[in-house]
Amino acid sequence: EAGVAQSPRYKIIEKRQSVAFWCNPISGHATLYWYQQILGQGPKLLIQFQNNGVVDDSQLPKDRFSAERLKGVDSTLKIQPAKLEDSAVYLCASSPRAGGGGTQYFGPGTRLLVL
Amino acid sequence: ELKVEQNPLFLSMQEGKNYTIYCNYSTTSDRLYWYRQDPGKSLESLFVLLSNGAVKQEGRLMASLDTKARLSTLHITAAVHDLSATYFCAVDVSDSNYQLIWGAGTKLIIKP
């Protein structure tokens, strides 16, 4: 079974530029999560989708971050404009449970460096 | 505020020794998870603990859960270098859409 796929793996941009990340979850997984992980810390949830609807986006900085999950499968996370403090690893995870909960399976992450 | 606290945050030990990582959480939770993260890599699920007294073991790692004390432990037996990684515990909370609340991680270095 293929795991969670993410691209790109690495991205370097200058502040005020925009960037987008892509995630393809495990086939059949209803719930998709985007996390931000700053070096030396645990992951911080940005947004949770169930199928193509948003379940929780309370920690998403909506003035600059946006995310969508079209057709309940792939998802994109965008940052516009980027700030220095956005430098982090962006992790996508999926789980089979429609109501959330259960083991989350993580992709390899996208390392973002904002200069 | 929901909190998950791990200790120690950093642990350096010799191969062959035993040690325990502790995970305390501040609220009632349905499930407790342990994940492993190697440097520059993503998170790998190790254990899911579902009920009071649950114990799970794989290889040299054993995890247990005491829901009354709101405490989970990850015990390492006869450590080997390959177990060097950062270990995270997390709990999910049903009244927050089962959002995972994460500990800060325990960075474990095992010296040959």
Side-chain angles (χ1 to χ4, degrees):
Chain A
E1 179 182 70
V4 177
Q6 289 187 248
S7 68
R9 294 294 310 278
Y10 305 92
K11 191 74 178 180
I12 301 174
I13 61 173
E14 294 188 349
K15 61 183 179 184
R16 292 187 288 275
Q17 287 187 322
S18 62
V19 64
F21 313 128
W22 173 82
C23 172
N24 182 239
I26 293 172
S27 178
H29 280 198
T31 307
L32 185 147
Y33 309 81
W34 283 102
Y35 288 91
Q36 179 192 62
Q37 187 178 25
I38 293 172
L39 187 65
Q41 298 181 17
K44 170 190 168 185
L45 179 69
L46 294 175
I47 190 166
Q48 175 181 343
F49 291 96
Q50 178 176 319
N51 298 314
N52 61 346
V54 175
V55 173
D56 187 342
D57 64 356
S58 57
Q59 298 186 86
L60 186 73
K62 298 180 186 65
D63 58 333
R64 298 185 300 107
F65 286 64
S66 64
E68 60 182 6
R69 188 182 184 196
L70 298 176
K71 300 180 181 179
V73 183
D74 293 6
S75 178
T76 56
L77 176 69
K78 297 179 181 178
I79 307 174
Q80 183 179 6
K83 293 185 175 181
L84 297 177
E85 58 261 36
D86 298 332
S87 295
V89 177
Y90 291 85
L91 295 165
C92 179
S94 68
S95 72
R97 289 172 61 109
T103 299
Q104 295 181 20
Y105 298 87
F106 285 81
T110 296
R111 294 184 173 276
L112 173 67
L113 179 60
V114 182
L115 301 176
Chain B
E1 182 186 350
L2 306 176
K3 284 186 179 179
V4 177
E5 294 184 343
Q6 288 183 237
N7 72 83
L9 298 181
F10 179 80
L11 177 58
S12 178
M13 55 194 290
Q14 296 289 331
E15 278 191 326
K17 299 291 186 182
N18 303 335
Y19 210 81
T20 301
I21 299 170
Y22 297 89
C23 174
N24 289 92
Y25 53 98
S26 64
T27 187
T28 306
S29 171
D30 292 336
R31 284 168 286 261
L32 187 135
Y33 305 81
W34 284 97
Y35 283 83
R36 168 180 173 152
Q37 188 173 38
D38 291 295
K41 304 290 186 181
S42 192
L43 290 143
E44 174 191 357
S45 176
L46 293 174
F47 302 110
V48 182
L49 301 169
L50 301 177
S51 59
N52 188 42
V55 176
K56 291 198 174 178
Q57 183 167 4
E58 179 153 344
R60 300 174 187 275
L61 299 178
M62 183 174 72
S64 65
L65 178 62
D66 180 345
T67 58
K68 293 179 182 177
R70 297 181 182 170
L71 171 69
S72 179
T73 60
L74 181 66
H75 187 73
I76 303 148
T77 302
V80 293
H81 179 66
D82 287 351
L83 290 178
S84 297
T86 299
Y87 293 86
F88 290 93
C89 66
V91 299
D92 66 20
V93 183
S94 59
D95 59 0
S96 295
N97 299 306
Y98 294 100
Q99 178 183 146
L100 282 182
I101 311 299
W102 294 81
T106 297
K107 184 171 184 178
L108 176 63
I109 295 176
I110 300 169
K111 300 175 182 178

